[in-house]
């Protein structure tokens, strides 16, 4: 027995010594909480940048030197359609443009980004009656596009195309048939896309995706997740669904899922970027989402303002941003429903560039009512002052200012960014966004095989018990935008009985919502990365565009008559960046920075430094600078439809003779530099509408695309 024991001990020692050194190293020194199956992952590090790409619209029927007329769609006839596409037309993208775009990405930015947000529309529009789209074509172009992503963001010469950089796709309204119409899941489209996007959707998320087309990816494990929202269930033009109010609607279910997941992010100390295809555009005359969905979205962002970093969308083709005002959240007010704002029309299927102008001017009109955020930004800078409590008149003015913005970090407002498209409705465009990675130097990077913790709360929303403890009563809502009646314990209000409470005359009673109300941040939690500069705050972006007029090298005014094309080398170049642009001057992408810029755009009487040029016309006698809004009656100027707003709208008629530099720069970038100088300069309040009526280039804007 003793000999046998010695023999076994020697054999075990010999066997253990034969283990490969590399294998022993993995066992001894694992990355925290992450299973790394491929050694190349260990060499990756965070760069603090990511790519937003949207609306590629590859068209297998595109034909060089074809006609760009409406009834030809660059599929036939003779005309100036270039090798890489026809800019400022209604034509979709040739495969040459998509291939060249991915080649440029691989050679120039792939190795300096951490993840990719791809916000949908990877099939051509259904515009050619002679060549109607088919299910096979839509799915095949999506499969082809997926291959481009896999080839670009996988290790070179890897036959399996295993991703080394995460890609987060989302549905566009043209990624199925018929376009815009997407039914509640599970359905065949969701089953098929589960297979097509299998390399992108984490395995633990696929059950939820099959049910509704939503999921998220932890792009920085344990730190940051990117959510892919299925905005088809919010889209006003989707006739197969009916908003987000009824429990049976997939839009309602989507927000229940989102509430559960964002709460899970909060509990784990994580942050989230929300991404989707159709943006929550909402102006006086145009609306992209059903109002009930917009109301919930704004409320969710308000309640999870400590978690959400920002929102990124596509679909509209023009480069711009939106400001949401939480004062317009009426879903919690008694007697107000989503129908109260039904006067807004959904965006028409086909519009001209003139309608895009109308939409931008509506945004500007809305921003003209944003208070000047400079004093509040100065307060942020002076945060570490003596700390002594100020009293008297100055303290009252300070409190009044804080109420106007929803606190020191402007939490009354929210910002949504819309990226311009690759499809050359204007010029093909890409956006690289930088974000703060301070304190993330040792953070684990994404791996395809990473193990994500799953909590019971993460199960499908239908399995969640919503019968939580219910508070007996909710206080009347006052002017404070923080919804103080929502503070405290988890509030599941599905079964709460209405109880009246005496309050001041004229106060609106809170409505008992027929859904689980998201919990707000704790009173002790600091502002989130969308509001206060910190780790994971988006810092700014660089916009790249491809000047197809120059690259195609085609005589656009004449037919080519079969002549051979001689395109110049394809490349994207910097159009602008928010760090150094002399007009944008964004310190970062926090809400306060965007409010400052939006306020400048909204000035119909800009200051001298914000003028493009001076005019000889005298200023109107009754005009007044927007910065002088410190009257007593200003307390009510946040209310929708207030007398103060009405007065301002009347005064705008007297402010037609000065061109706002910030506004014109915003318009220039919105159309990716494709407007000539005359049209650009006509974007001032006194421009002649007949100029646009007689000179507008027709851009067919399907379902809100601009």
């Amino acid at each position: 027995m003793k000999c046998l024991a010695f023999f076994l001990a020697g054999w075990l020692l010999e066997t253990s010594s034969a283990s490969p050194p590399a294998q022993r190293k993995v066992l001894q020194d694992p990355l925290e909480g992450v299973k790394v199956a491929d050694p190349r992952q260990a060499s990756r590090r965070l760069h603090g940048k990511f790519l937003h790409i949207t609306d590629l619209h590859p068209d297998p029927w595109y034909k060089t030197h074809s006609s760009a007329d409406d009834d030809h769609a660059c599929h036939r006839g003779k005309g100036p359609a270039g090798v890489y596409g026809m800019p400022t037309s209604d034509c979709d993208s040739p495969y040459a443009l998509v291939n060249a775009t991915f080649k440029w990405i691989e050679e120039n930015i792939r190795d300096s980004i951490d993840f990719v947000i791809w916000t949908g529309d990877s099939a051509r529009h259904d515009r050619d009656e002679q060549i109607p789209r088919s299910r096979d074509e839509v799915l095949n172009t999506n499969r082809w596009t997926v291959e481009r992503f896999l080839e670009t963001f996988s290790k070179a010469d890897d036959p399996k195309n295993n991703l080394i950089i995460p890609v987060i796709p989302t549905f566009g309204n043209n990624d199925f048939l018929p376009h815009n119409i997407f039914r509640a899941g599970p359905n065949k489209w969701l089953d098929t896309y589960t297979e097509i996007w299998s390399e992108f959707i984490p395995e633990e998320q696929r059950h939820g995706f099959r049910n509704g087309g939503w999921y998220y990816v932890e792009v920085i494990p344990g730190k940051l997740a990117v959510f892919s929202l299925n905005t088809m269930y919010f889209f006003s033009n989707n006739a197969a669904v009916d908003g987000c109010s009824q429990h049976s609607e997939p839009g309602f279910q989507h927000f229940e899922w989102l509430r559960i997941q964002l709460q899970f992010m909060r509990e784990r100390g994580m942050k989230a970027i929300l991404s989707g295809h159709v943006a929550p555009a909402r102006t006086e005359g145009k609306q992209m989402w059903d109002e009930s969905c917009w109301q919930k979205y704004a409320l969710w962002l308000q309640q999870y303002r400590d978690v959400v970093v920002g929102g990124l969308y596509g679909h509209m083709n023009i480069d711009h941003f939106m400001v949401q005002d939480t004062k317009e959240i009426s879903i919690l007010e008694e007697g107000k429903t989503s129908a109260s704002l039904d006067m807004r029309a959904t965006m028409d299927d086909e519009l001209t560039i003139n309608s895009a102008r109308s939409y931008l001017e509506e945004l500007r009109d809305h921003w003209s009512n944003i208070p000047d955020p400079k004093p509040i930004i100065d307060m942020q800078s002076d945060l570490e002052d003596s700390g002594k409590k100020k009293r008297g008149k100055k303290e009252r003015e300070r409190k009044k200012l804080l109420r106007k913005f929803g606190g020191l970090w402007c939490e009354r407002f929210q910002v949504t960014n819309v990226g311009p498209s690759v499809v050359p409705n204007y010029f093909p465009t890409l956006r690289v966004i930088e974000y703060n990675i301070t304190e993330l130097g040792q953070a684990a990077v994404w791996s395809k095989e990473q193990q994500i913790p799953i909590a019971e709360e993460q199960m499908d929303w239908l399995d969640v018990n919503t019968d939580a403890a219910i508070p007996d009563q909710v206080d009347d809502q006052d002017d404070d935008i923080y919804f103080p009646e929502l503070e405290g314990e988890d509030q599941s209000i599905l079964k709460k009985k209405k109880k009246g409470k005496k309050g001041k005359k004229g106060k609106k009673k809170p409505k008992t919502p027929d859904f689980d109300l998201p919990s707000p941040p704790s009173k002790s939690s600091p502002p989130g990365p969308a509001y206060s500069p910190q780790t994971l705050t988006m810092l700014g972006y660089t916009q790249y565009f491809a000047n197809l007029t120059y690259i195609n090298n085609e005589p656009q005014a004449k037919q080519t008559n079969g002549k051979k094309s001689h395109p110049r080398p394809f490349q994207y170049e910097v159009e602008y960046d928010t760090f150094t642009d002399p007009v944008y001057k964004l310190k970062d992408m926090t809400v306060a920075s965007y409010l400052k810029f939006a306020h400048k755009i909204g000035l119909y009487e800009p200051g001298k430094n914000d003028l493009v040029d001076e005019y000889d016309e005298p200023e109107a006698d009754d005009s007044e600078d927007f910065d002088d809004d410190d009257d007593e009656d200003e307390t009510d100027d946040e209310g929708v439809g207030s007398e103060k707003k009405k007065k301002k709208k009347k005064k705008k008629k007297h402010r037609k003779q000065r061109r706002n530099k910030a506004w014109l720069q915003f318009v220039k970038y919105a159309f990716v530099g494709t407007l000539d100088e005359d049209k650009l300069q006509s974007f001032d309040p006194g421009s002649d509408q007949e100029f646009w009526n007689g000179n507008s280039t027709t851009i067919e804007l399907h379902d809100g695309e601009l």
Side-chain angles (χ1 to χ4, degrees), residues 398-423:
R398 177 179 172 276
K399 287 184 177 180
K400 181 179 174 182
L401 184 65
L402 289 173
R403 283 198 303 270
K404 187 182 294 187
F405 285 93
L408 182 62
W409 302 103
C410 306
E411 290 175 306
R412 166 183 166 182
F413 299 97
Q414 306 157 353
V415 171
T416 294
N417 275 276
V418 181
S421 57
V422 172
V423 65

Side-chain angles (χ1 to χ4, degrees), residues 36 40 114 123 129 190 277 356 364 529 557 588 641 677 679:
V36 180
R40 71 179 183 270
D114 301 325
E129 294 181 359
L190 287 170
H277 182 66
R364 186 188 187 194
D588 47 38
E677 195 63 25
K679 283 186 179 178

Side-chain angles (χ1 to χ4, degrees), residues 333-351:
E333 294 178 8
E334 190 69 51
K336 283 199 174 185
T337 64
S338 60
S340 64
L341 290 171
D342 279 349
M343 78 288 290
R344 289 185 175 87
T346 58
M347 291 192 175
D348 297 332
D349 279 1
E350 296 185 6
L351 306 174

Side-chain angles (χ1 to χ4, degrees), residues 604-606 618-626 628 647-648 650-656 658:
Y604 288 89
E605 186 68 19
E619 296 182 20
D621 293 337
D622 61 345
S623 66
E624 59 184 54
D625 199 326
F626 188 89
D628 296 333
K647 287 181 181 179
K648 286 183 180 179
K650 290 180 181 178
K651 289 173 183 176
K652 289 173 193 173
K653 295 179 181 178
H654 300 282
R655 301 173 180 177
K656 295 184 177 180
R658 310 185 99 183

Side-chain angles (χ1 to χ4, degrees), residues 599-655:
H599 174 75
K600 289 175 66 175
I601 291 173
L603 290 177
Y604 288 89
E605 186 68 19
K608 187 174 181 180
N609 292 334
D610 295 322
L611 289 174
V612 172
D613 47 24
E614 297 278 1
Y615 283 82
D616 295 332
E617 306 286 345
E619 296 182 20
D621 293 337
D622 61 345
S623 66
E624 59 184 54
D625 199 326
F626 188 89
D627 294 342
D628 296 333
D629 288 341
D630 289 328
D631 308 340
E632 277 305 313
D633 61 347
E634 189 188 61
T635 310
D636 299 326
D637 72 348
E638 297 98 328
V640 179
S642 66
E643 289 300 317
K644 187 76 175 176
K645 285 188 177 180
K646 291 178 182 177
K647 287 181 181 179
K648 286 183 180 179
K649 288 188 178 180
K650 290 180 181 178
K651 289 173 183 176
K652 289 173 193 173
K653 295 179 181 178
H654 300 282
R655 301 173 180 177

Side-chain angles (χ1 to χ4, degrees), residues 63-68 71-72 74-81 559-560:
K63 185 179 179 182
T64 304
H65 297 161
S66 61
S67 171
D71 56 346
H72 292 130
C74 292
H75 292 165
R76 56 191 163 274
K78 292 183 178 180
Q559 294 183 351
T560 57

